[in-house]
Amino acid sequence: GYRTGSGSILTKQPRLWEASLQHLIFNPDEAPRVEDIPVLADFTGELVELINCNWRLLALFAVGQGRGELYAVLAGDGQFCALRSGSVAEFDSIARLCPQAQLFEREIYENSGIMPRHHPWLKSVRIIPDAPGKSRNADYGFYRVQGGQAHEVGVGPIHAGIIEPGHFRFQCYGENVLNLEIALGYQHRGVERMLLELPAASTANHLRLRLVECVAGDESVANATAQCVLWERMFGLGALDEYTQRMRRIGLELERLACHCGDLGAIAGDTGYLPTSSWNGRIRGDFLNMTAAICGNRFGREFVHPGGVDNDLDPEQCGMLLEKLASCGRDALASSEAMFESASVRDRMEGTGVIDTALALELGLVGVAARASGVECDARFNFPLSSLPMYGASLRKAAGGDVMARAMVRFLEMKDSLELVRNDLEWLAANPRNGTRGQQMKLPGGRLGVALVESWRGEVCHVGLTGADGEFLACKIVDPSFHNWIGLSLAMRNGQISDFPLCNKSFNLSYCGHDQ
């Protein structure tokens, strides 16, 4: 069960100040009552204290306009922690002491008008051009470097091809980058707002999943899985059957394989190594086609549903997929190994775009970007969705924090994913039966639910908060890109402006995931 905590949870770092901690600690599969979360008089102090004691901030949001309650959800040592404030119109900025909160605070102000006092630089999170009144900070106020030899390079927001808009503004001294500022949000779609407008009634489940699958197209399975897990925990459904768990993992790992394979090809392209660039572009499509063979969509739309999966595999289909997996896996690994064996490619990647461990922790980076800097952060191992065997897969990390490290983490995780999918398909072939079909659910009132799913890019966090009638008061979705864009910005400091395409590909962050 969950409990109310008091006092410091961990003692690895000294306390910032004396404070009587009041928070709610609960297990990942629980959905505690909102009334059991203590109302804090010093919300900022308690939250900073927890972060200082090695709890990691997953989500920070407000409920209300102009005045409302603040909620924070943190992760640490296999458990979640929840905090809330009383009704406030302003609060002391957390970002002054904990940089990982800076973007959350800016978002709170932009969305609700609740002011984080003394925020280091309170500016828009999502630019909304030519729409007066929709942004609380119309003058974005880009950072500028002054000096006779300093100059500015602007890229975007309009890019070639079909890429979504994002603006990159470099402050340079010759070819050296002094600062990179990234402005996003030009196509903010308001997915969280639309989710609140949908009724929480079970008939809206289908529409809700279609929306969350669009948060980031290359994380469709991960976001749909997170939303389903959120509903299942709030509904109190309990553990799902093994068939369903293995099917869901296959969807997640095929998504990881396709994207890691494509990213390694893109990194090869930006080093000028065209064989791997071409090969991996083709092989990525083969992995996507395997997903389409299961659910009818290359990006995994309608793969999962609350309470189960709506797609079954018979032994013959499993055999066909196993044959395809072996062929694709062999080609993807050989293609990537050829890139790593090239001395010119290694020279281009090593030492480029470095984020050290201390900075990665301070910024709250997640996913591949964090693990490549030595941070042990992978929800598959820290917050597993099931007790399925991992077949030798492990939390892959590196120490370099550079492009080479990010590429190598992807390569090792691709190896693990191949083993996971192979073993799951073999199990399904030996245990043919129908999976649990999606269920209709009506959520209980006054509950807080949290789901953490490791997408190929990093952890996807979904938080749900219901009122007394079971309708959602808040639907918070945190894409890994929301944590990691600042990492790309700082990875470019003191580097060459010509390093940007390669660094950008090594992070491969999502515009739409940030802009949802």
Side-chain angles (χ1 to χ4, degrees), residues 316-333:
E316 183 179 355
Q317 289 173 307
C318 290
M320 293 173 59
L321 288 170
L322 281 166
E323 183 177 341
K324 189 67 175 175
L325 182 74
S327 173
C328 294
R330 180 184 62 249
D331 291 349
L333 295 179

PDB file of all heavy atoms in Angstrom, residues 316-333:
ATOM      1  N   GLU A 316       1.446 -20.031 -37.380  1.00  0.00           N
ATOM      2  CA  GLU A 316       1.978 -19.765 -38.721  1.00  0.00           C
ATOM      3  C   GLU A 316       2.444 -18.318 -38.852  1.00  0.00           C
ATOM      4  O   GLU A 316       3.519 -18.043 -39.406  1.00  0.00           O
ATOM      5  CB  GLU A 316       0.906 -20.074 -39.766  1.00  0.00           C
ATOM      6  CG  GLU A 316       1.407 -19.883 -41.197  1.00  0.00           C
ATOM      7  CD  GLU A 316       0.340 -20.211 -42.219  1.00  0.00           C
ATOM      8  OE1 GLU A 316      -0.753 -20.672 -41.822  1.00  0.00           O
ATOM      9  OE2 GLU A 316       0.606 -20.015 -43.427  1.00  0.00           O
ATOM     10  N   GLN A 317       1.648 -17.380 -38.331  1.00  0.00           N
ATOM     11  CA  GLN A 317       2.046 -15.980 -38.381  1.00  0.00           C
ATOM     12  C   GLN A 317       3.317 -15.740 -37.559  1.00  0.00           C
ATOM     13  O   GLN A 317       4.206 -14.994 -37.976  1.00  0.00           O
ATOM     14  CB  GLN A 317       0.913 -15.097 -37.850  1.00  0.00           C
ATOM     15  CG  GLN A 317      -0.293 -15.013 -38.763  1.00  0.00           C
ATOM     16  CD  GLN A 317      -1.445 -14.274 -38.095  1.00  0.00           C
ATOM     17  OE1 GLN A 317      -1.853 -14.614 -36.983  1.00  0.00           O
ATOM     18  NE2 GLN A 317      -1.953 -13.258 -38.767  1.00  0.00           N
ATOM     19  N   CYS A 318       3.399 -16.379 -36.411  1.00  0.00           N
ATOM     20  CA  CYS A 318       4.607 -16.246 -35.587  1.00  0.00           C
ATOM     21  C   CYS A 318       5.832 -16.753 -36.340  1.00  0.00           C
ATOM     22  O   CYS A 318       6.913 -16.136 -36.280  1.00  0.00           O
ATOM     23  CB  CYS A 318       4.451 -17.013 -34.276  1.00  0.00           C
ATOM     24  SG  CYS A 318       3.270 -16.278 -33.119  1.00  0.00           S
ATOM     25  N   GLY A 319       5.674 -17.867 -37.057  1.00  0.00           N
ATOM     26  CA  GLY A 319       6.779 -18.415 -37.827  1.00  0.00           C
ATOM     27  C   GLY A 319       7.241 -17.460 -38.916  1.00  0.00           C
ATOM     28  O   GLY A 319       8.455 -17.272 -39.122  1.00  0.00           O
ATOM     29  N   MET A 320       6.293 -16.857 -39.608  1.00  0.00           N
ATOM     30  CA  MET A 320       6.644 -15.898 -40.660  1.00  0.00           C
ATOM     31  C   MET A 320       7.374 -14.689 -40.064  1.00  0.00           C
ATOM     32  O   MET A 320       8.366 -14.208 -40.625  1.00  0.00           O
ATOM     33  CB  MET A 320       5.381 -15.457 -41.397  1.00  0.00           C
ATOM     34  CG  MET A 320       4.711 -16.554 -42.210  1.00  0.00           C
ATOM     35  SD  MET A 320       3.111 -16.042 -42.901  1.00  0.00           S
ATOM     36  CE  MET A 320       3.603 -14.632 -43.881  1.00  0.00           C
ATOM     37  N   LEU A 321       6.880 -14.200 -38.934  1.00  0.00           N
ATOM     38  CA  LEU A 321       7.516 -13.047 -38.298  1.00  0.00           C
ATOM     39  C   LEU A 321       8.908 -13.396 -37.778  1.00  0.00           C
ATOM     40  O   LEU A 321       9.828 -12.575 -37.849  1.00  0.00           O
ATOM     41  CB  LEU A 321       6.632 -12.521 -37.164  1.00  0.00           C
ATOM     42  CG  LEU A 321       5.348 -11.800 -37.601  1.00  0.00           C
ATOM     43  CD1 LEU A 321       4.443 -11.556 -36.400  1.00  0.00           C
ATOM     44  CD2 LEU A 321       5.675 -10.485 -38.292  1.00  0.00           C
ATOM     45  N   LEU A 322       9.076 -14.604 -37.253  1.00  0.00           N
ATOM     46  CA  LEU A 322      10.394 -15.024 -36.776  1.00  0.00           C
ATOM     47  C   LEU A 322      11.401 -15.089 -37.922  1.00  0.00           C
ATOM     48  O   LEU A 322      12.570 -14.685 -37.768  1.00  0.00           O
ATOM     49  CB  LEU A 322      10.293 -16.390 -36.091  1.00  0.00           C
ATOM     50  CG  LEU A 322       9.747 -16.381 -34.664  1.00  0.00           C
ATOM     51  CD1 LEU A 322       9.365 -17.800 -34.226  1.00  0.00           C
ATOM     52  CD2 LEU A 322      10.797 -15.795 -33.701  1.00  0.00           C
ATOM     53  N   GLU A 323      10.955 -15.584 -39.046  1.00  0.00           N
ATOM     54  CA  GLU A 323      11.836 -15.658 -40.214  1.00  0.00           C
ATOM     55  C   GLU A 323      12.250 -14.254 -40.667  1.00  0.00           C
ATOM     56  O   GLU A 323      13.416 -13.989 -40.959  1.00  0.00           O
ATOM     57  CB  GLU A 323      11.120 -16.401 -41.345  1.00  0.00           C
ATOM     58  CG  GLU A 323      11.985 -16.605 -42.579  1.00  0.00           C
ATOM     59  CD  GLU A 323      11.253 -17.402 -43.650  1.00  0.00           C
ATOM     60  OE1 GLU A 323      10.259 -18.090 -43.317  1.00  0.00           O
ATOM     61  OE2 GLU A 323      11.694 -17.342 -44.824  1.00  0.00           O
ATOM     62  N   LYS A 324      11.281 -13.344 -40.699  1.00  0.00           N
ATOM     63  CA  LYS A 324      11.564 -11.963 -41.103  1.00  0.00           C
ATOM     64  C   LYS A 324      12.464 -11.268 -40.077  1.00  0.00           C
ATOM     65  O   LYS A 324      13.377 -10.523 -40.439  1.00  0.00           O
ATOM     66  CB  LYS A 324      10.241 -11.201 -41.246  1.00  0.00           C
ATOM     67  CG  LYS A 324      10.393  -9.823 -41.866  1.00  0.00           C
ATOM     68  CD  LYS A 324      10.832  -9.927 -43.314  1.00  0.00           C
ATOM     69  CE  LYS A 324      10.879  -8.580 -43.991  1.00  0.00           C
ATOM     70  NZ  LYS A 324      11.413  -8.649 -45.372  1.00  0.00           N
ATOM     71  N   LEU A 325      12.220 -11.525 -38.804  1.00  0.00           N
ATOM     72  CA  LEU A 325      13.020 -10.914 -37.743  1.00  0.00           C
ATOM     73  C   LEU A 325      14.485 -11.340 -37.861  1.00  0.00           C
ATOM     74  O   LEU A 325      15.396 -10.505 -37.707  1.00  0.00           O
ATOM     75  CB  LEU A 325      12.472 -11.313 -36.375  1.00  0.00           C
ATOM     76  CG  LEU A 325      13.189 -10.715 -35.165  1.00  0.00           C
ATOM     77  CD1 LEU A 325      12.841  -9.240 -35.011  1.00  0.00           C
ATOM     78  CD2 LEU A 325      12.809 -11.477 -33.886  1.00  0.00           C
ATOM     79  N   ALA A 326      14.716 -12.602 -38.119  1.00  0.00           N
ATOM     80  CA  ALA A 326      16.090 -13.095 -38.238  1.00  0.00           C
ATOM     81  C   ALA A 326      16.814 -12.420 -39.392  1.00  0.00           C
ATOM     82  O   ALA A 326      17.980 -12.015 -39.264  1.00  0.00           O
ATOM     83  CB  ALA A 326      16.086 -14.614 -38.423  1.00  0.00           C
ATOM     84  N   SER A 327      16.115 -12.284 -40.520  1.00  0.00           N
ATOM     85  CA  SER A 327      16.721 -11.658 -41.699  1.00  0.00           C
ATOM     86  C   SER A 327      17.015 -10.178 -41.456  1.00  0.00           C
ATOM     87  O   SER A 327      18.126  -9.697 -41.713  1.00  0.00           O
ATOM     88  CB  SER A 327      15.793 -11.829 -42.899  1.00  0.00           C
ATOM     89  OG  SER A 327      16.264 -11.102 -44.012  1.00  0.00           O
ATOM     90  N   CYS A 328      16.012  -9.456 -40.922  1.00  0.00           N
ATOM     91  CA  CYS A 328      16.185  -8.013 -40.669  1.00  0.00           C
ATOM     92  C   CYS A 328      17.253  -7.769 -39.608  1.00  0.00           C
ATOM     93  O   CYS A 328      18.062  -6.847 -39.722  1.00  0.00           O
ATOM     94  CB  CYS A 328      14.861  -7.394 -40.216  1.00  0.00           C
ATOM     95  SG  CYS A 328      13.580  -7.391 -41.472  1.00  0.00           S
ATOM     96  N   GLY A 329      17.227  -8.581 -38.554  1.00  0.00           N
ATOM     97  CA  GLY A 329      18.187  -8.404 -37.479  1.00  0.00           C
ATOM     98  C   GLY A 329      19.609  -8.620 -37.950  1.00  0.00           C
ATOM     99  O   GLY A 329      20.516  -7.848 -37.595  1.00  0.00           O
ATOM    100  N   ARG A 330      19.803  -9.653 -38.740  1.00  0.00           N
ATOM    101  CA  ARG A 330      21.147  -9.932 -39.259  1.00  0.00           C
ATOM    102  C   ARG A 330      21.648  -8.759 -40.091  1.00  0.00           C
ATOM    103  O   ARG A 330      22.788  -8.297 -39.928  1.00  0.00           O
ATOM    104  CB  ARG A 330      21.115 -11.203 -40.115  1.00  0.00           C
ATOM    105  CG  ARG A 330      22.470 -11.586 -40.699  1.00  0.00           C
ATOM    106  CD  ARG A 330      22.352 -12.789 -41.617  1.00  0.00           C
ATOM    107  NE  ARG A 330      21.493 -12.513 -42.776  1.00  0.00           N
ATOM    108  CZ  ARG A 330      20.289 -13.060 -42.964  1.00  0.00           C
ATOM    109  NH1 ARG A 330      19.803 -13.917 -42.087  1.00  0.00           N
ATOM    110  NH2 ARG A 330      19.584 -12.752 -44.040  1.00  0.00           N
ATOM    111  N   ASP A 331      20.800  -8.235 -40.963  1.00  0.00           N
ATOM    112  CA  ASP A 331      21.204  -7.134 -41.839  1.00  0.00           C
ATOM    113  C   ASP A 331      21.439  -5.843 -41.043  1.00  0.00           C
ATOM    114  O   ASP A 331      22.397  -5.104 -41.311  1.00  0.00           O
ATOM    115  CB  ASP A 331      20.130  -6.881 -42.903  1.00  0.00           C
ATOM    116  CG  ASP A 331      20.039  -8.011 -43.916  1.00  0.00           C
ATOM    117  OD1 ASP A 331      20.938  -8.874 -43.921  1.00  0.00           O
ATOM    118  OD2 ASP A 331      19.061  -8.027 -44.695  1.00  0.00           O
ATOM    119  N   ALA A 332      20.556  -5.565 -40.074  1.00  0.00           N
ATOM    120  CA  ALA A 332      20.678  -4.324 -39.304  1.00  0.00           C
ATOM    121  C   ALA A 332      21.958  -4.308 -38.480  1.00  0.00           C
ATOM    122  O   ALA A 332      22.662  -3.291 -38.404  1.00  0.00           O
ATOM    123  CB  ALA A 332      19.462  -4.148 -38.402  1.00  0.00           C
ATOM    124  N   LEU A 333      22.289  -5.435 -37.849  1.00  0.00           N
ATOM    125  CA  LEU A 333      23.504  -5.501 -37.029  1.00  0.00           C
ATOM    126  C   LEU A 333      24.760  -5.417 -37.901  1.00  0.00           C
ATOM    127  O   LEU A 333      25.717  -4.708 -37.555  1.00  0.00           O
ATOM    128  CB  LEU A 333      23.515  -6.780 -36.198  1.00  0.00           C
ATOM    129  CG  LEU A 333      22.414  -6.902 -35.134  1.00  0.00           C
ATOM    130  CD1 LEU A 333      22.534  -8.232 -34.392  1.00  0.00           C
ATOM    131  CD2 LEU A 333      22.475  -5.743 -34.143  1.00  0.00           C
TER     132      LEU A 333
END
